[in-house]
Amino acid sequence: MPELSVVIPLYNEIDNVEPLVAALRAALADANVEVIIVDDGSRDGSAAALDRAQAEWPEVLTIIHLQRNFGQTAAMQAGIDAARGEVIVTLDADLQNDPQDILPLAQRLLAENLDVVAGWRKNRQDGLLLRKIPSRIANRLIRRLTGVHLHDYGCTLKAYRASVLQGVRLYGEMHRFIPAWLSTLTYTDRIVEVPVRHHPRRAGKSKYGITRTFRVLVDLLFVKFFLGYSQRPMHFFGVIGLFSLFIGSGMLVYLFIDKFAEGAAISGRPMLIAGVLFFLAGLQFLNTGIVAEMLSRIYFEGQGKTTYVIRRRVPEKP
């Protein structure tokens, strides 16, 4: 069994396949490692190039070909599902991340008993306007909302303890939020960040653009809700519902007293409509909270998930 699994999602990187595999072979020559490259439905000849590379390095390299382009997150999840190592390192296929950084990250994770060692492209070799500035804004928002203080969430080069990483499932564009997801399963002081090398893209075309920043912001709203309320959604919807019921009930009680004590006409007053809307909205939020609680239990119990993660057991279970 390999001690280290390297997972690399790849899409339309025909010019980088051979240099990537050569760099991996040089960096991992003496390690007990498996390399899993997930071809995310490439249509430029990358699939055939990967198969040739695997034939030349069969003892280490595994290629997973997906049926079509499912996206980077799905490709990464496919590689994580196939990984067998105690440590899983994820890496981009464009050679902007340096394979020479793989082993130092994995070694630090094991030596310091950490769960995540994240790469930080401190000297990032990308365009300022379309890549660096949007990335800085997004990273600052993610830090503020998740409480996991990393400088560079967008760096794919990260080392994870497999037993923790395989406790989460990735959907949509959620791969960049993996450290935040893992903060629900481990302490944040077991998530550290180290500077890594970063190179300009030498071949191929970037798959990232300014529009991706907006998708990140939308995903961040879901991440914030999930991190805080996935196991107790009633605490979120219930508080809003009770507040709305309180406001609506107060308005309706005031109108009731005004009507029957003072004889005032209330049929055309905006407060009547507002009070009814607040009251009904409060009931709706409470109902939503109840449904969300039921769905939360289905999510955990239907998939056999637990609300805890065992780090180790003494003595080990036979």
Side-chain angles (χ1 to χ4, degrees):
M1 295 291 291
E3 296 177 354
L4 171 64
S5 298
V6 180
V7 173
I8 306 172
L10 180 147
Y11 176 63
N12 286 350
E13 294 284 0
I14 180 62
D15 295 326
N16 284 318
V17 170
E18 290 187 11
L20 172 65
V21 174
L24 289 167
R25 296 187 71 164
L28 305 172
D30 300 323
N32 180 14
V33 62
E34 65 175 355
V35 176
I36 302 170
I37 300 180
V38 182
D39 169 29
D40 189 21
S42 297
R43 297 174 63 85
D44 66 342
S46 295
L50 287 169
D51 289 343
R52 290 193 296 270
Q54 195 281 330
E56 297 173 0
W57 200 20
E59 67 278 7
V60 172
L61 184 58
T62 298
I63 308 299
I64 298 175
H65 296 286
L66 301 188
Q67 182 70 26
R68 63 169 179 84
N69 178 231
F70 289 95
Q72 186 176 1
T73 300
M76 190 175 292
Q77 184 67 66
I80 292 169
D81 290 341
R84 299 174 296 156
E86 178 185 356
V87 178
I88 298 175
V89 175
T90 57
L91 183 77
D92 273 335
D94 56 14
L95 285 175
Q96 290 194 261
N97 293 143
D98 196 322
Q100 292 291 339
D101 287 319
I102 293 173
L103 291 182
L105 264 63
Q107 289 164 354
R108 177 164 180 181
L109 183 141
L110 293 173
E112 299 182 18
N113 197 28
L114 301 170
D115 290 327
V116 182
V117 179
W120 173 17
R121 299 166 294 183
K122 196 170 184 179
N123 185 25
R124 185 172 177 179
Q125 303 298 310
D126 281 320
L128 178 65
L129 184 60
L130 296 181
R131 299 293 295 277
K132 288 185 179 180
I133 292 178
S135 179
R136 288 170 185 168
I137 295 171
N139 283 321
R140 182 169 296 181
L141 282 172
I142 296 170
R143 287 196 299 270
R144 291 287 298 274
L145 292 178
T146 65
V148 181
H149 294 279
L150 301 180
H151 292 88
D152 191 2
Y153 271 86
C155 181
T156 303
L157 179 56
K158 295 181 176 72
Y160 305 94
R161 189 173 299 276
S163 59
V164 178
L165 178 60
Q166 291 171 340
V168 301
R169 304 295 299 178
L170 306 178
Y171 302 94
E173 294 280 339
M174 296 298 181
H175 63 276
R176 73 188 70 254
F177 299 114
I178 294 177
W181 290 121
L182 295 186
S183 70
T184 65
L185 304 177
T186 188
Y187 290 113
T188 54
D189 60 5
R190 291 183 178 143
I191 301 174
V192 302
E193 187 176 42
V194 297
V196 295
R197 284 165 282 201
H198 192 247
H199 306 292
R201 178 181 268 274
R202 297 184 179 89
K205 184 179 179 181
S206 175
K207 314 303 184 298
Y208 301 93
I210 189 66
T211 57
R212 199 160 192 169
T213 302
F214 300 105
R215 295 200 295 271
V216 170
L217 296 178
V218 173
D219 287 339
L220 183 57
L221 297 177
F222 173 73
V223 171
K224 177 60 178 176
F225 175 82
F226 191 91
L227 293 181
Y229 301 100
S230 63
Q231 297 180 33
R232 49 189 179 94
M234 190 62 175
H235 289 194
F236 176 80
F237 293 107
V239 169
I240 299 175
L242 289 175
F243 179 76
S244 184
L245 276 176
F246 177 78
I247 297 296
S249 299
M251 290 180 175
L252 295 177
V253 168
Y254 171 80
L255 291 174
F256 180 85
I257 295 173
D258 201 28
K259 171 69 176 178
F260 291 100
E262 305 294 336
I266 63 172
S267 59
R269 295 170 66 173
M271 184 180 287
L272 177 63
I273 299 174
V276 171
L277 289 177
F278 271 106
F279 189 84
L280 293 177
L283 292 178
Q284 187 62 48
F285 274 110
L286 290 175
N287 287 334
T288 302
I290 293 170
V291 173
E293 286 283 342
M294 296 172 66
L295 291 175
S296 175
R297 282 152 177 73
I298 293 172
Y299 171 77
F300 284 102
E301 296 172 11
Q303 301 182 66
K305 290 181 176 291
T306 63
T307 55
Y308 59 87
V309 176
I310 297 175
R311 188 171 185 84
R312 62 189 182 96
R313 173 176 171 159
V314 182
E316 290 293 336
K317 188 175 180 179

